[in-house]
């Protein structure tokens, strides 16, 4: 009898792992877990803040129109690198949409997708997100390059990186909003 119950437990564990790893159910479970464990982003310590020197970076929007980051120099800039296949990226999107909805007129938001255009478009339409999404049209400035997704940077008006976060974060927190308000006042 013991052998049979141990066998059934092992079979149930294998079944759960297969569901979690190889089905869409697993993707949504990973998104949910990332939402549960996303924390407030942490500002970069003042003495460690690096500045973006070269703003010459081309991005293409969903319609193919080119934006050069030089056009946004002097603004507070929020850059988020993400992909629709990335569970932590998908987990933070609802908070990012809320933040963009409230700050989009005062902060330059650049959601840089490292994904296929049709998948990004389908994802945004399915979720009802209205975010300014771009694709890299040239080499990303070295100071902003990171292979991990999601990666988010906030630059102040002088181009200093005041926040750099790798992984899912709670971007709609009162602390993040207060931080943005302070940066906008400078």
């Amino acid at each position: 009898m013991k052998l049979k119950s141990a066998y059934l437990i092992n079979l149930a564990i294998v079944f759960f792992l297969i569901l979690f790893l190889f089905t869409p159910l697993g993707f949504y479970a990973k998104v949910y877990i990332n939402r549960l464990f996303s924390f407030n982003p942490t500002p970069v310590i003042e003495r460690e803040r690096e500045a973006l020197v070269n703003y010459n970076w081309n991005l293409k929007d969903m319609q193919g129109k080119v934006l050069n980051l030089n056009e946004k120099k002097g603004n507070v800039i929020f850059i988020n690198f993400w992909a629709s296949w990335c569970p932590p990226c998908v987990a933070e999107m609802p908070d990012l949409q809320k933040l963009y909805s409230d700050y989009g007129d005062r902060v330059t938001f650049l959601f840089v997708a490292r994904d296929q255009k049709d998948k990004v478009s389908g994802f945004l339409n399915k979720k009802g997100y209205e975010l300014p999404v771009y694709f890299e049209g040239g080499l990303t400035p070295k100071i902003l390059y990171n292979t991990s997704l999601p990666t988010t940077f906030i630059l102040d008006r002088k181009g200093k990186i005041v926040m750099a976060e790798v992984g899912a974060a709670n971007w709609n927190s009162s602390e993040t909003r207060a931080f943005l308000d302070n940066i906008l006042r400078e």
Side-chain angles (χ1 to χ4, degrees):
M1 197 62 142
K2 278 189 172 183
L3 182 62
K4 190 174 183 181
S5 64
Y7 176 76
L8 289 175
I9 290 171
N10 286 340
L11 190 61
I13 290 171
V14 168
F15 179 72
F16 176 75
L17 286 173
I18 288 171
L19 275 177
F20 190 75
L21 295 174
F22 300 110
T23 69
L25 179 65
F27 179 82
Y28 294 112
K30 292 173 194 169
V31 168
Y32 179 74
I33 290 167
N34 272 284
R35 286 210 40 89
L36 282 178
F37 293 105
S38 62
F39 301 98
N40 291 334
T42 308
V44 175
I45 298 170
E46 181 116 19
R47 69 177 181 273
E48 296 178 5
R49 293 180 178 176
E50 295 181 73
L52 179 66
V53 179
N54 183 2
Y55 279 75
N56 190 25
W57 180 33
N58 287 329
L59 298 165
K60 291 183 182 178
D61 68 12
M62 295 291 284
Q63 291 73 38
K65 182 180 174 196
V66 175
L67 166 80
N68 189 288
L69 194 57
N70 272 315
E71 299 169 32
K72 303 300 179 182
K73 194 173 185 175
N75 294 344
V76 173
I77 303 172
F78 186 104
I79 304 170
N80 175 264
F81 294 92
W82 69 286
S84 65
W85 49 262
C86 163
C89 302
V90 173
E92 68 180 7
M93 279 295 166
D95 289 338
L96 290 170
Q97 177 63 61
K98 290 175 187 168
L99 192 68
Y100 171 71
S101 295
D102 292 343
Y103 285 85
D105 59 337
R106 297 176 283 159
V107 174
T108 298
F109 283 85
L110 305 170
F111 293 93
V112 182
R114 290 190 172 153
D115 205 340
Q116 296 174 1
K117 185 178 174 183
D118 58 332
K119 291 186 179 185
V120 170
S121 179
F123 172 79
L124 295 173
N125 290 334
K126 179 180 174 185
K127 297 292 186 177
Y129 295 140
E130 296 180 5
L131 302 169
V133 174
Y134 296 88
F135 299 90
E136 293 163 296
L139 291 176
T140 300
K142 188 175 181 179
I143 197 169
L144 299 176
Y145 186 78
N146 192 316
T147 58
S148 298
L149 294 177
T151 297
T152 305
F153 298 96
I154 299 178
L155 284 66
D156 67 10
R157 295 181 196 283
K158 297 174 187 165
K160 286 189 178 180
I161 297 175
V162 294
M163 192 171 285
E165 193 72 30
V166 176
N170 179 6
W171 291 105
N172 196 37
S173 68
S174 57
E175 291 87 354
T176 301
R177 288 171 172 268
F179 181 80
L180 272 177
D181 290 338
N182 277 340
I183 297 300
L184 287 165
R185 279 193 290 271
E186 291 178 359

